[in-house]
Amino acid sequence: MNEPDRPSPEALLRAAAQEGRGRLKVFLGAAPGVGKTWEMLTDGHQRREAGIDVVVGVVETHGRRETQALVEGHEVIPRREVDHVGHTLGEMDLDAILERAPQLVLVDELAHTNAPGSRHPKRYQDVEELLAAGIDVYSTINIQHVESLNDLVASFTRVRVRETIPDSVLEQAEIEVVDIPPGELIERLKEGKVYVPHEATRALGHFFSKSNLTALRELALRRAAQAVDAQMLEHLRANALAGSFAVGERVLVAISEQPHAAGLVRAGKRLSDALKAPWSAVHIQTQRDRHFTDADRRQLADTLALASRLGASTASIPAASVVEGLRGFAQDARATQIVIGKSDRSWLFELRNGSVVDRLVRTLGDVAIHVLPSGTPAAEPKRPREATRIDWGRPAHYLWSLLTVAAMTVLGRLLLEALDLGNIALLFLIPVMFAAATFGVRAGLFAGLASSLAYNFFFLPPNGTLTVSNPENVISILVLLGVAVVTSQLAARVRAQADLAGASARQNAALASFSRQLTIAATREELVQAICAEVARLLDVRTVLLLPSSDGPVLSAAYPPEDRLEQIEQAAAQWAIDNEQPAGRGSATLTASDWLFHPLRTTRGVLGVLGLARDDAGDPVRSDQVPLLMSLLDQASIAFDRMALEEENLKAQAVGERDRLRSALLSSVGHDLRTPLTTILSAAQEMKLRPSVELAEVVETEARRLNRFVANLLDMARVEAGALPMKPEATDLFDAVASAVHDTRASLQGHEVEVDIAPGVPLVRLDPVLLHHCLINLLDNAGRYGDPRTPIVVRCRRVPDALLLSIVDQGPGIPPGQEARVFETFTRLEGSDRVRHGTGLGLAIVKGFAEAMGLSVSATNNEDPHGACFTLRIPQALILATIEDREMS
């Protein structure tokens, strides 16, 4: 917890991370047509007139003349053309903007999805790269495109927006709300200033109803206020500014181990709902926490769990006093409302210790404090407190204290001639301070009493008696006792605070270790094993983790390994899943179970239940372990939620990839299957009229092309299914190349093939069939893309740890930066000077077959002569014989 006059280290680190980055400003609107793009372009003109270098990266005018007129006053970076499924799409040219390096770039529609083949799938990721390069960005977005509000907007508009941005993008941006009343927006829509007339009529009946626009407007204003509030808090923490400065309300509930604390939590929830404000529940750990009974600790844990279930952020922090802890936490959280209970204390207790409420009112003048009475309801009789056992310490503590007093007595007798009695008395402060600081308050008081007696008996006249002849010496004895009492109390307080700080540090270290173990888990199996193992280690219990299914909870992990659970445990786990409450031993439900099951709750429901048990058949969780367990469960739930989101994201990506492949396949089939079929049908009709050898050759050629196309599809299916039968054997590379050249003579017509393989090249252990397929596809690719009548070179050369088999053509080469992409499925890098045919499967098949044999394949460009070079790298492990080092061209 930070002191009020000390900047937050985390805030300073975040501010330092923004140094050198560009600033993002987002023009946020409630709906299309409110004028976001107009406002962005107008602001851009003002910045340009102020001497700022401004360019337009991408702006969508949607045919509006007024918007187009504003664009014409700016320098516009030409868009990059992308060919997608037969259509040419214009996307923002990220590389051109980075090369131009303006001070400010205007980028419309931040949530836009880029065309396939772009560097980033989303436009906001392009913006992130611009910001990282130090370029400021102005952009626009509607409130329905914010990820966290997507479901809420769809619930009342009945329209789900597919293009969204993460909330973190808005959190780092400066937000300007572009707003007009719903009535004016509807008029703009009717006038055709938003959509064309027939689309405007349909929109008025659905999305653009007045109730929808009013709700969207409220969402936009509220989301902007939340962002401003968060940025203000970050500034206050980074600059150590005191005060709440509340743009929005923040509620803090102070809870204790008393039963009435649950009522405070519910009151805090009602207050936060009424204010639409975030809220926290905090328990302040003081010295009195050491005297809590098991019932007190369990009550406190139940209250914290209740607050967490109701949506509060919970914390338990150590402090010297309740007032000091609450004041520090409230200042750090910038709380504007505090809910606290008024304890039923006697007037003598408040006279001795003071009132927490009164001291809070005096020290937190700018915070509203809600005080609730804490009377115990009649239906819930006050719980009898267990007698507090006094910890007198070990006998060794008193023995060491007595020995220290004896040592000071001997030292005092030795120095009696050199020191007066007043200085001798000071020597006896040493054992008092030593005993109090080392063994606690009671040992310190014992040392103080023993020191007073020893000083009186051995040094004050008459010596050898406890009689004091001089009244002045009485003052010395009383001062010695007073110092002993005060020193012992101070030492005990310091020790209690040190114990609290140590316990907090140990808990924080345990949570950090637990979080680290969950973070490195890459799969769901690793995650559940890590949760079970770490919770078992930290709490010294046995653990199981069960996942819900249609057939009941399924045992997913256990530590130590557990094969099965009894029927009562299964029932307890199912009850915990259904009711989102703990069940089993130590809870209020199905207590006959030997296991205690806690649900792992997330925003998407219960994703699993964690079971705990002890070998001694005692309660699975000790009362002092409950706060740590709650924190572990929260972290485990977050980790589970993260893993579930990652799995859904992977599934979505797989679906997107399947859609892309299906679209590419249909496009390829439409061209590469229909074209030869059309030629064959035409030739067959002609042959009915007049038999011709030439027409027969055309049919044969196109039939071979069809056969090759079908073979490629089947080969690609085998690659993706991993069903490649491997029969490696000793293979001569020269023979393999000669066979492939022979089988591709039709596609290589017009090209001379130069085979440059030295006679001494060793045999290699490869599958000859798969190698033949690789060489056929590489030669076919060279024949189609190489310039007509230019030679194709097949060469092999030796490097220290491999053989490199290369096929070189003299075509247009490969566009820079696309060397790896040519091996992707259905990829055809077509340009103005490249042949527009082929399935885009050949090189993908080469890569799949090569990797199956343990080879690697790469694509590069040749300088002299210019062209593409595809190389199969055969590692040393697959070379069967060695040859003498010789130069191989």
Side-chain angles (χ1 to χ4, degrees):
M1 186 169 56
N2 299 313
E3 299 175 4
D5 57 348
R6 179 190 173 204
S8 166
E10 293 81 6
L12 289 176
L13 287 174
R14 286 190 289 268
Q18 294 300 316
E19 291 294 329
R21 286 176 57 87
R23 295 186 305 108
L24 174 62
K25 181 177 181 179
V26 172
F27 294 85
L28 177 65
V34 297
K36 302 180 301 299
T37 304
W38 171 280
E39 191 68 26
M40 179 183 70
L41 292 170
T42 303
D43 273 24
H45 274 292
Q46 295 174 357
R47 295 295 302 275
R48 187 165 57 85
E49 292 171 358
I52 303 299
D53 182 15
V54 182
V55 302
V56 171
V58 60
V59 166
E60 304 294 347
T61 63
H62 299 290
R64 301 167 190 157
R65 291 190 299 272
E66 302 88 345
T67 306
Q68 184 61 43
L70 283 176
V71 173
E72 291 172 356
H74 287 289
E75 176 188 348
V76 180
I77 302 295
R79 299 194 187 190
R80 177 176 57 88
E81 292 187 354
V82 180
D83 187 15
H84 176 59
V85 196
H87 298 281
T88 300
L89 306 177
E91 294 290 355
M92 183 177 72
D93 195 335
L94 178 60
D95 291 322
I97 297 174
L98 292 172
E99 183 178 356
R100 170 67 172 75
Q103 292 176 277
L104 172 64
V105 59
L106 309 182
V107 180
D108 205 6
E109 297 186 358
L110 187 60
H112 171 77
T113 300
N114 293 329
S118 301
R119 183 184 310 175
H120 302 296
K122 292 287 189 177
R123 183 169 289 169
Y124 74 83
Q125 295 171 317
D126 294 338
V127 168
E128 285 288 343
E129 189 167 343
L130 292 173
L131 296 174
I135 300 174
D136 293 345
V137 177
Y138 283 2
S139 191
T140 64
I141 191 175
N142 291 324
I143 191 63
Q144 63 264 32
H145 293 287
V146 179
E147 179 65 43
S148 63
L149 301 176
N150 186 256
D151 291 339
L152 179 60
V153 172
S155 67
F156 61 83
T157 64
R158 301 296 188 269
V159 177
R160 180 174 293 276
V161 177
R162 298 300 177 187
E163 294 181 326
T164 60
I165 65 168
D167 289 57
S168 58
V169 176
L170 281 186
E171 290 167 3
Q172 65 174 334
E174 175 187 345
I175 297 178
E176 179 176 330
V177 179
V178 183
D179 182 43
I180 61 174
E184 291 186 22
L185 180 56
I186 292 174
E187 288 300 321
R188 285 173 54 84
L189 193 69
K190 292 178 178 178
E191 294 170 2
K193 295 181 178 180
V194 180
Y195 296 125
V196 294
H198 72 278
E199 292 182 351
T201 303
R202 185 178 60 183
L204 282 170
H206 297 83
F207 187 86
F208 282 83
S209 66
K210 190 167 185 178
S211 59
N212 285 351
L213 293 177
T214 302
L216 290 170
R217 188 185 186 198
E218 180 183 359
L219 280 178
L221 294 172
R222 186 180 298 169
R223 187 63 183 82
Q226 291 174 356
V228 170
D229 188 45
Q231 291 166 2
M232 178 207 63
L233 287 178
E234 190 76 3
H235 173 74
L236 294 179
R237 288 169 179 151
N239 294 275
L241 299 177
S244 59
F245 297 94
V247 175
E249 300 286 349
R250 286 175 292 277
V251 178
L252 174 62
V253 180
I255 62 176
S256 66
E257 81 288 359
Q258 298 294 331
H260 71 265
L264 298 179
V265 168
R266 297 185 181 95
K269 170 62 175 174
R270 292 193 297 271
L271 180 61
S272 70
D273 287 345
L275 298 174
K276 301 187 183 305
W279 65 298
S280 306
V282 61
H283 167 66
I284 307 301
Q285 300 177 13
T286 61
Q287 298 181 46
R288 61 188 297 272
D289 285 43
R290 297 195 303 168
H291 305 297
F292 280 180
T293 64
D294 288 346
D296 291 334
R297 293 191 179 94
R298 190 169 300 282
Q299 179 65 54
L300 177 61
D302 291 342
T303 305
L304 286 171
L306 173 64
S308 180
R309 289 197 302 272
L310 294 179
S313 59
T314 59
S316 184
I317 59 174
S321 66
V322 173
V323 174
E324 180 181 334
L326 280 178
R327 183 174 65 244
F329 190 87
Q331 289 173 347
D332 185 64
R334 308 288 172 172
T336 61
Q337 312 268 344
I338 294 181
V339 178
I340 191 171
K342 177 65 175 176
S343 300
D344 187 14
R345 307 288 190 182
S346 66
W347 66 270
L348 182 61
F349 179 90
E350 291 195 358
L351 180 66
R352 186 173 70 251
N353 298 282
S355 170
V356 171
V357 174
D358 293 342
R359 291 166 64 188
L360 278 178
V361 171
R362 288 195 300 269
T363 56
L364 294 175
D366 57 346
V367 178
I369 299 179
H370 303 263
V371 183
L372 275 66
S374 60
T376 305
E380 186 178 319
K382 192 170 183 179
R383 183 178 69 248
R385 298 183 61 89
E386 299 178 12
T388 303
R389 185 178 63 86
I390 299 177
D391 183 10
W392 291 100
R394 293 184 295 176
H397 297 170
Y398 298 95
L399 178 60
W400 278 106
S401 301
L402 193 60
L403 290 176
T404 308
V405 173
M408 290 302 104
T409 302
V410 173
L411 180 61
R413 296 297 299 179
L414 295 175
L415 298 176
L416 186 59
E417 300 298 329
L419 301 176
D420 57 23
L421 289 179
N423 292 329
I424 294 294
L426 295 178
L427 291 176
F428 285 97
L429 293 178
I430 296 176
V432 174
M433 297 175 66
F434 166 77
T438 307
F439 305 124
V441 60
R442 290 174 177 79
L445 291 175
F446 173 78
L449 180 61
S451 297
S452 299
L453 294 176
Y455 179 65
N456 185 8
F457 189 83
F458 291 104
F459 297 96
L460 295 182
N463 293 341
T465 68
L466 296 178
T467 303
V468 181
S469 60
N470 188 349
E472 295 180 356
N473 293 330
V474 176
I475 298 177
S476 299
I477 295 176
L478 294 178
V479 168
L480 189 62
L481 283 173
V483 169
V485 172
V486 172
T487 304
S488 300
Q489 293 290 344
L490 290 176
R493 182 176 301 178
V494 170
R495 167 175 286 219
Q497 293 178 356
D499 290 342
L500 288 175
S504 178
R506 288 191 297 273
Q507 179 167 324
N508 290 337
L511 291 175
S513 173
F514 185 65
S515 177
R516 185 166 55 253
Q517 293 298 323
L518 299 189
T519 302
I520 63 177
T523 63
R524 182 183 288 265
E525 290 73 19
E526 293 179 2
L527 178 63
V528 296
Q529 290 292 346
I531 292 174
C532 286
E534 287 299 303
V535 173
R537 180 181 66 84
L538 293 173
L539 301 181
D540 191 24
V541 294
R542 291 184 290 130
T543 57
V544 293
L545 201 150
L546 296 92
L547 302 180
S549 71
S550 57
D551 298 328
V554 177
L555 184 62
S556 180
Y559 190 89
E562 188 86 23
D563 293 333
R564 59 182 300 274
L565 295 175
E566 299 297 332
Q567 187 173 0
I568 183 64
E569 276 78 32
Q570 291 282 348
Q574 186 63 55
W575 194 93
I577 293 173
D578 295 338
N579 296 274
E580 299 187 11
Q581 297 289 333
R585 190 180 187 87
S587 71
T589 305
L590 297 174
T591 56
S593 170
D594 291 334
W595 292 78
L596 170 64
F597 293 95
H598 278 274
L600 299 179
R601 292 184 295 267
T602 70
T603 55
R604 297 127 59 81
V606 176
L607 298 183
V609 286
L610 180 67
L612 305 98
R614 290 192 182 275
D615 293 329
D616 57 6
D619 282 347
V621 182
R622 299 195 307 269
S623 57
D624 59 326
Q625 294 177 327
V626 172
L628 176 59
L629 175 62
M630 294 297 105
S631 299
L632 295 176
L633 290 173
D634 288 341
Q635 290 202 20
S637 300
I638 293 172
F640 248 101
D641 204 17
R642 171 184 61 82
M643 187 65 66
L645 288 173
E646 289 179 355
E647 291 175 350
E648 290 183 2
N649 185 45
L650 290 176
K651 292 178 181 177
Q653 290 179 356
V655 171
E657 181 65 17
R658 285 199 299 269
D659 290 342
R660 185 188 72 82
L661 291 177
R662 182 169 61 249
S663 178
L665 177 60
L666 291 175
S667 174
S668 179
V669 168
H671 179 273
D672 294 282
L673 191 58
R674 187 184 304 160
T675 301
L677 280 175
T678 302
T679 304
I680 292 173
L681 289 173
S682 299
Q685 291 173 356
E686 288 291 329
M687 289 176 69
K688 287 181 180 179
L689 301 176
R690 56 177 184 87
S692 170
V693 176
E694 291 80 5
L695 292 175
E697 290 178 350
V698 169
V699 171
E700 182 183 5
T701 300
E702 294 302 322
R704 288 182 183 276
R705 181 177 172 187
L706 277 176
N707 183 62
R708 186 71 199 138
F709 175 75
V710 174
N712 277 340
L713 289 177
L714 294 176
D715 287 344
M716 198 66 242
R718 291 162 61 199
V719 170
E720 294 183 347
L724 294 175
M726 291 286 296
K727 296 180 179 180
E729 59 184 57
T731 304
D732 186 285
L733 291 179
F734 186 89
D735 291 344
V737 170
S739 176
V741 170
H742 178 269
D743 288 348
T744 54
R745 60 189 182 278
S747 58
L748 299 181
Q749 187 174 4
H751 294 275
E752 178 185 352
V753 180
E754 298 178 1
V755 179
D756 186 7
I757 300 179
V761 171
L763 301 178
V764 291
R765 185 171 181 79
L766 298 174
D767 187 304
V769 177
L770 298 185
L771 179 61
H772 186 73
H773 278 284
C774 290
L775 294 174
I776 284 177
N777 279 292
L778 290 175
L779 289 168
D780 180 70
N781 181 78
R784 286 188 291 109
Y785 288 103
D787 288 343
R789 307 302 175 185
T790 59
I792 296 173
V793 180
V794 182
R795 64 173 178 238
C796 182
R797 57 191 177 91
R798 185 72 179 269
V799 294
D801 58 347
L803 280 174
L804 303 181
L805 182 61
S806 302
I807 297 176
V808 184
D809 63 55
Q810 294 185 24
I814 302 169
Q818 302 294 319
E819 290 84 354
R821 188 167 168 258
V822 296
F823 296 103
E824 295 179 4
T825 308
F826 295 114
T827 298
R828 291 182 290 182
L829 304 179
E830 299 176 349
S832 59
D833 58 347
R834 294 184 67 84
V835 181
R836 294 180 176 269
H837 61 229
T839 63
L841 286 174
L843 295 179
I845 292 170
V846 171
K847 184 174 185 292
F849 283 9
E851 291 178 349
M853 292 186 290
L855 313 182
S856 60
V857 61
S858 61
T860 57
N861 282 318
N862 261 3
E863 294 297 333
D864 186 23
H866 182 73
C869 175
F870 293 88
T871 302
L872 289 170
R873 185 180 185 279
I874 306 172
Q876 182 67 41
L878 299 178
I879 301 174
L880 294 181
T882 59
I883 60 173
E884 297 178 356
D885 293 336
R886 63 185 65 181
E887 183 176 343
M888 299 175 62
S889 59

